[in-house]
Amino acid sequence: MKTNLLVFACLLITSALTGQSPKKALYEHFTQASCPPCASVNPVLHPILDRNKDKVVQITHQVSWPGYDPMNEDNPSEVANRVSYYGTNAVPSGFLEGKKVQLTPSISVTDDLLQQAAEVASNYDLEINPKLNTGINELDVEVKVKLTDAMVGRPVLRVVVMEKVIRFTKAPGTNGEKEFFHVVKKFLPGTAGTVIADLTVKGDSRVFNFNYKFNNLYDFKNLEVAAFIQNDLTKEALQAANSEVTFPQTQGLDLVLRSGTPSNVPDVKTMCATKTFPTVNFMNIGNSLITKILFRYSCNNGPSAEYIWTGSIPYLSEKTIALGELEIPFIRKSGNSIQVEAVEINGSSDIDQANNKLEIAFDAPPATTLNSRIEIKPLSKPDLISFELTDDAGKVLLKDGPFANNTLKSYPLTLDKDRCYKLSVNNRHVSVNGTARLFDENNTLLFNTSLASQKIFTNDFTTYELVTKSSNVPVEINELEINPNPAGEDFNLSWHSERIQDAQINIINMQGELIRNYKIKMASGKNSLSINGSEILAGVYFVQINTKNQVAFKKLILQR
């Protein structure tokens, strides 16, 4: 004990004299969920690193070989960049302070080795401050760097977001491992890092700010951020630091709408339908139990719907639910979204209503011609690929596979006007196994999907030109007319309504952007509205009338 205290005192004196800083060592680990030796090494290695976590920062890269690993699919290119950086071609592999260490057949990483690495003073101070945004779906990271001694080489700052531990109930690969530690999710802004060679004089300092939007996370409540400075000329790690992400706690009711999807179909970011069931993820960051939430939601500012959820959500618990059915009044070529608001929590308002609103963006599907073509190109395992094409009524129009060879398969299509279609390709191979493509009658490529993993790949497409109008709704508005049309400046709208009701009239350009809107109370019977269009640019527009149950459209041409 006396010897250790003496060594520590000497280190403090040396650091004070040279101006250098206490150091944390860096250990980068390369492993894989289907690597047999990894299953033997990792359970022995992790406890060593964990009990030295005050001395070492661990970063784990899940590589793409020798088999399947879902964690690699979350961020394959950045992992490949770090593999290339060190030139490693085997797993498990480890690099302590930028130098390779032995892991097989015996492990050379010991408590003494980590202690020695941490005892080397650094010429940098490094401080990390991660902070969650109000929506609990992004992370702002502030990193402070200070040069405390002479600058050497080509120093680069690298910042990485990780999940501290990922646990599976069933082994995701073939080696039996179910727990994975300090798994890389994203480098900020990328693996190239930020060159800090402008800090040249002792005492120079700088603050760097980064942002991470949550993506491909297994448990967002389990995040940590690491930062390290590396001399890219020698790969030597000069300093490292890490910090766990902490969560706020409000005194009282505080609901957060974190994220959502436009439908209850996972991983689908396009919409081609007249109705949908949007999903939302919400979280309680207050110390009061949440038992009831009233949601109000609409699509593209169309008719709104309400949904009441009841249950029990304590502090830091989250839940994902599908809301009730929602009418889709139209789908623009761009700028589509579903607006969701939690208007009441436990029958009243919560403390922070700013994070009770959510906008879920979605894309319009590619629009094709009535005569189109699908191409399926299998690769090494054609017998593990099959597909089917369905229309918006769920009818199967075309299906094929498994295939006998990897010859290109081409299927001409004769489609109906103003319909939606879905191509679903099932790749049962664990790796890249082909492509699925759609061409219109002009041979224009509309999508090219790589069948990159073991899953069902889906692509929506449509034969609508600009907007998808809801058709399965009560007809309450008819005889919509615009006079004159084409119009100069002033024009008049006239229509017939089946009943007295609130409505909103929108003027939308050909890019789907809202130009003007008017809120009115419609009468039962004949209705009219005069509009001065002098401040609207000449061009082609849509006039849209929204009620609770219907959306009516008419094309408007303005000329000058």
Side-chain angles (χ1 to χ4, degrees), residues 443-481:
N443 207 37
T444 302
L445 179 64
L446 299 177
F447 62 73
N448 183 11
T449 300
S450 173
L451 310 177
S453 61
Q454 186 176 16
K455 61 182 275 189
I456 296 176
F457 294 84
T458 61
N459 286 96
D460 290 326
F461 59 96
T462 181
T463 53
Y464 285 99
E465 291 183 1
L466 175 65
V467 287
T468 300
K469 292 189 288 185
S470 249
S471 56
N472 300 322
V473 294
V475 178
E476 298 183 342
I477 304 172
N478 52 47
E479 301 174 11
L480 174 60
E481 296 292 340

Side-chain angles (χ1 to χ4, degrees), residues 34-80:
S34 294
C35 149
C38 299
S40 301
V41 168
N42 292 338
V44 178
L45 176 66
H46 180 72
I48 299 172
L49 294 166
D50 190 54
R51 65 175 173 255
N52 289 280
K53 60 186 178 183
D54 60 329
K55 304 180 185 71
V56 63
V57 172
Q58 180 185 346
I59 296 173
T60 302
H61 306 281
Q62 302 290 138
V63 303
S64 61
W65 79 90
Y68 177 67
D69 189 320
M71 292 165 286
N72 176 266
E73 291 184 349
D74 295 337
N75 192 12
S77 61
E78 291 193 336
V79 174

Side-chain angles (χ1 to χ4, degrees), residues 298-495:
S298 62
C299 177
N300 289 337
N301 297 310
S304 64
E306 291 186 348
Y307 182 85
I308 296 176
W309 171 87
T310 57
S312 179
I313 299 289
Y315 170 64
L316 281 194
S317 291
E318 57 160 333
K319 192 171 184 64
T320 299
I321 64 168
L323 302 175
E325 186 178 79
L326 176 66
E327 295 285 348
I328 300 177
F330 61 92
I331 296 177
R332 306 180 180 112
K333 284 186 175 179
S334 62
N336 299 282
S337 67
I338 292 173
Q339 302 81 37
V340 182
E341 182 179 5
V343 293
E344 288 184 6
I345 296 88
N346 291 359
S348 62
S349 299
D350 71 353
I351 291 173
D352 184 5
Q353 298 178 44
N355 53 23
N356 290 3
K357 294 182 179 180
L358 181 67
E359 189 157 314
I360 307 168
F362 65 91
D363 298 323
T368 190
T369 51
L370 301 186
N371 296 313
S372 298
R373 182 177 84 257
I374 289 173
E375 287 186 356
I376 306 292
K377 179 64 173 74
L379 291 180
S380 60
K381 298 288 184 180
D383 58 319
L384 297 181
I385 291 182
S386 59
F387 79 89
E388 66 177 27
L389 176 69
T390 55
D391 63 16
D392 48 19
K395 181 181 178 181
V396 177
L397 306 178
L398 176 66
K399 63 188 301 183
D400 204 352
F403 300 105
N405 55 57
N406 61 3
T407 304
L408 177 70
K409 280 64 177 184
S410 182
Y411 305 87
L413 304 176
T414 302
L415 305 172
D416 295 328
K417 191 176 186 304
D418 295 343
R419 297 290 297 274
C420 295
Y421 299 88
K422 183 185 297 293
L423 177 67
S424 302
V425 185
N426 187 1
N427 176 32
R428 296 182 298 281
H429 185 39
V430 297
S431 187
V432 177
N433 198 27
T435 57
R437 300 189 291 180
L438 174 68
F439 296 87
D440 66 13
E441 64 183 9
N442 301 313
N443 207 37
T444 302
L445 179 64
L446 299 177
F447 62 73
N448 183 11
T449 300
S450 173
L451 310 177
S453 61
Q454 186 176 16
K455 61 182 275 189
I456 296 176
F457 294 84
T458 61
N459 286 96
D460 290 326
F461 59 96
T462 181
T463 53
Y464 285 99
E465 291 183 1
L466 175 65
V467 287
T468 300
K469 292 189 288 185
S470 249
S471 56
N472 300 322
V473 294
V475 178
E476 298 183 342
I477 304 172
N478 52 47
E479 301 174 11
L480 174 60
E481 296 292 340
I482 304 176
N483 288 296
N485 193 13
E489 292 185 353
D490 299 333
F491 56 92
N492 187 68
L493 307 182
S494 61
W495 68 95

Side-chain angles (χ1 to χ4, degrees), residues 66-258:
Y68 177 67
D69 189 320
M71 292 165 286
N72 176 266
E73 291 184 349
D74 295 337
N75 192 12
S77 61
E78 291 193 336
V79 174
N81 289 345
R82 293 308 282 175
V83 167
S84 177
Y85 182 84
Y86 285 114
T88 187
N89 57 8
V91 285
S93 290
F95 293 83
L96 180 63
E97 299 293 77
K99 297 178 182 179
K100 190 169 184 177
V101 293
Q102 178 181 302
L103 294 178
T104 57
S106 60
I107 297 174
S108 66
V109 178
T110 63
D111 297 278
D112 288 342
L113 184 65
L114 298 176
Q115 175 69 36
Q116 291 167 19
E119 285 176 352
V120 179
S122 174
N123 52 347
Y124 287 95
D125 278 340
L126 194 55
E127 182 183 334
I128 308 172
N129 180 26
K131 186 178 180 181
L132 287 162
N133 72 335
T134 56
I136 317 295
N137 54 16
E138 292 185 27
L139 192 61
D140 293 316
V141 181
E142 179 187 81
V143 180
K144 298 178 181 179
V145 181
K146 182 178 181 180
L147 183 65
T148 57
D149 207 337
M151 188 273 285
V152 294
R154 185 178 186 271
V156 174
L157 169 68
R158 291 186 169 93
V159 180
V160 57
V161 178
M162 301 177 288
E163 286 193 65
K164 290 179 290 184
V165 59
I166 298 175
R167 292 186 173 93
F168 294 87
T169 55
K170 180 182 177 182
T174 59
N175 72 357
E177 285 188 280
K178 298 179 182 178
E179 289 188 332
F180 304 86
F181 300 93
H182 309 287
V183 178
V184 169
K185 305 310 295 187
K186 184 72 180 72
F187 277 82
L188 306 176
T191 52
T194 305
V195 177
I196 56 172
D198 57 332
L199 303 180
T200 57
V201 179
K202 179 180 174 181
D204 283 351
S205 63
R206 189 174 168 190
V207 176
F208 300 88
N209 291 284
F210 305 93
N211 176 265
Y212 169 65
K213 292 180 172 60
F214 289 5
N215 188 35
N216 295 324
L217 296 177
Y218 292 86
D219 184 357
F220 68 89
K221 298 187 289 292
N222 199 25
L223 292 177
E224 63 179 333
V225 181
F228 59 97
I229 299 170
Q230 197 162 23
N231 180 357
D232 267 3
L233 299 182
T234 63
K235 296 184 173 57
E236 177 189 1
L238 305 174
Q239 182 63 287
N242 59 340
S243 177
E244 295 185 357
V245 177
T246 58
F247 283 76
Q249 184 176 29
T250 306
Q251 300 301 305
L253 280 176
D254 197 357
L255 175 79
V256 176
L257 291 186
R258 295 189 55 253

